[in-house]
Amino acid sequence: MILLLTRILSKVALALMVGLLAGCQGGVLDPKGQIGIEEKQLIIVATLLMLLVVIPVIFMTLYFAWKYREGRDEIYEPKWSHSTKIEIIVWAIPIVIVIILGVITWKSTHALDPYKPLKSDKDHINVQVISMNWKWLFIYPDLGIASVNELRFPANVPVAFQISSEGTMNSFFIPQLGSQIYSMAGMVTKLHLIANEPGTFDGISANYSGAGFTGMKFKAIATETEADFEAWVEGVKAQSIEGAINNGVLDQASYEALAEFDLDAHHIEPTPVQYYNSIKSSIFMDNVMKFMKDHGKVELLKGTVFDSKMIHEESQHSSHDMHTEAEK
């Protein structure tokens, strides 16, 4: 009977979930890309597996409360303490579910590895992403252009992201396309996404980063054709896009000007879309490695507890003291 009820309730839960998901728009439950679709399926499967335990527990809690309510002539067994059948059920079912979830997690973790390039008959578009306070800079190294708070790419063409940060750690996330991944200063993380259809998708930072965090949003625009994307690229290079802010060349000086921000929360407004029609080729890695500029320079450690000379002298003193103690 319990098994039959579980099956019925699972079907009802699935029907309700499908109905609820049908009204979801613009988030992880309304995916528009290959990665997003696979992650949605993973969420649904994991939820249904957990409901196999949750729903029967809720049902039995209500059923037992009704069955053994005051006034019913049910058998009273105050010395009852063990049931092999109950022990088998309450242990076997969760163990089986955990094993299934473990297998699914293992497979999906490798299948959805954000560092793994997507299989496609088209070449990936390379985009370098830098999170700033409180804006997103997108650099197209192969195309020689850059944009602020607007990301464009053709639909059905995979995009390979290299992601870093100018300071505060952020999280690069386009919910409808799939995985989020962190941006950290002095480090480069990677992500591969694809849009299965043209459209405009919301991009956000999924990690709180200060006073202007709420305005740290961008639009990810998947153009209908590659020709439309190429026309946009040419428009950026020619500075011919109407209403756009064209900043010219993205070099170190203009990069540092863009990175400036006001700490006064009352004056923080979302940064408008901006374009750079040419870039310094090494601008991305220059600003990643600037945090490593003193790496290996041991002279900075002179006079500190990490000074190699002081460590050597201290080690000699310690060795001498140990020998003296041994002789005593």
Side-chain angles (χ1 to χ4, degrees):
M1 179 180 178
I2 293 177
L3 182 60
L4 179 60
L5 286 172
T6 301
R7 289 178 178 174
I8 294 173
L9 289 172
S10 296
K11 291 179 180 179
V12 171
L14 178 60
L16 288 173
M17 183 176 291
V18 170
L20 291 172
L21 296 181
C24 296
Q25 292 183 351
V28 294
L29 299 180
D30 182 27
K32 301 300 181 182
Q34 173 187 333
I35 301 298
I37 291 171
E38 292 182 25
E39 289 179 347
K40 176 185 175 180
Q41 293 173 345
L42 183 61
I43 291 171
I44 293 175
V45 170
T47 301
L48 289 176
L49 283 171
M50 289 183 284
L51 285 176
L52 291 177
V53 173
V54 174
I55 291 177
V57 168
I58 294 174
F59 168 76
M60 287 188 290
T61 300
L62 298 174
Y63 174 73
F64 290 150
W66 173 82
K67 180 176 175 63
Y68 295 103
R69 70 188 186 278
E70 185 180 2
R72 286 183 60 89
D73 297 327
E74 295 294 339
I75 298 174
Y76 178 58
E77 297 182 8
K79 295 183 178 181
W80 180 88
S81 63
H82 179 74
S83 170
T84 302
K85 291 181 180 179
I86 293 177
E87 290 289 340
I88 292 174
I89 292 173
V90 299
W91 281 103
I93 294 177
I95 288 173
V96 171
I97 291 175
V98 168
I99 291 173
I100 295 173
L101 282 173
V103 172
I104 292 173
T105 301
W106 174 267
K107 290 184 177 180
S108 61
T109 299
H110 289 84
L112 299 174
D113 180 3
Y115 278 53
K116 187 171 69 174
L118 302 177
K119 293 181 180 179
S120 175
D121 56 353
K122 298 178 180 179
D123 293 333
H124 286 65
I125 292 178
N126 295 310
V127 180
Q128 296 168 333
V129 183
I130 299 179
S131 61
M132 298 178 169
N133 289 346
W134 286 273
K135 59 189 81 74
W136 292 94
L137 172 63
F138 301 102
I139 302 169
Y140 296 78
D142 301 330
L143 302 175
I145 62 171
S147 61
V148 177
N149 284 349
E150 182 181 277
L151 170 67
R152 284 188 188 243
F153 49 87
N156 299 307
V157 176
V159 183
F161 296 97
Q162 288 181 301
I163 305 168
S164 189
S165 175
E166 172 59 23
T168 308
M169 183 173 75
N170 278 280
S171 177
F172 178 76
F173 191 24
I174 308 174
Q176 287 185 277
L177 297 187
S179 308
Q180 66 87 22
I181 197 161
Y182 289 102
S183 64
M184 294 167 280
M187 299 179 63
V188 177
T189 51
K190 297 180 181 180
L191 178 65
H192 293 83
L193 297 175
I194 188 171
N196 290 358
E197 59 184 73
T200 300
F201 314 113
D202 292 327
I204 61 173
S205 170
N207 189 74
Y208 180 74
S209 58
F213 166 74
T214 54
M216 195 170 175
K217 300 174 182 177
F218 63 92
K219 293 296 182 182
I221 303 171
T223 60
E224 187 168 354
T225 65
E226 293 185 51
D228 291 337
F229 174 70
E230 291 169 1
W232 173 78
V233 171
E234 292 304 318
V236 172
K237 289 182 176 180
Q239 298 185 344
S240 60
I241 299 178
E242 294 184 7
I245 299 175
N246 298 297
N247 293 332
V249 180
L250 179 64
D251 53 17
Q252 192 58 37
S254 58
Y255 176 93
E256 291 174 359
L258 179 65
E260 292 179 358
F261 61 94
D262 188 354
L263 282 174
D264 188 349
H266 297 290
H267 295 89
I268 294 174
E269 295 181 358
T271 303
V273 174
Q274 304 172 39
Y275 299 126
Y276 293 88
N277 67 343
S278 63
I279 61 172
K280 179 184 176 183
S281 59
S282 62
I283 191 70
F284 179 77
M285 287 309 301
D286 285 350
N287 286 281
V288 171
M289 295 307 296
K290 71 182 179 183
F291 297 98
M292 306 294 180
K293 62 182 180 180
D294 296 323
H295 178 69
K297 294 185 178 180
V298 295
E299 60 269 18
L300 294 177
L301 304 178
K302 287 182 178 179
T304 72
V305 293
F306 300 104
D307 189 337
S308 58
K309 183 178 179 181
M310 292 178 66
I311 292 173
H312 178 67
E313 290 175 353
E314 185 178 345
S315 141
Q316 286 184 327
H317 284 303
S318 298
S319 177
H320 175 72
D321 293 341
M322 288 174 65
H323 284 297
T324 302
E325 288 294 328
E327 290 172 359
K328 290 181 179 178

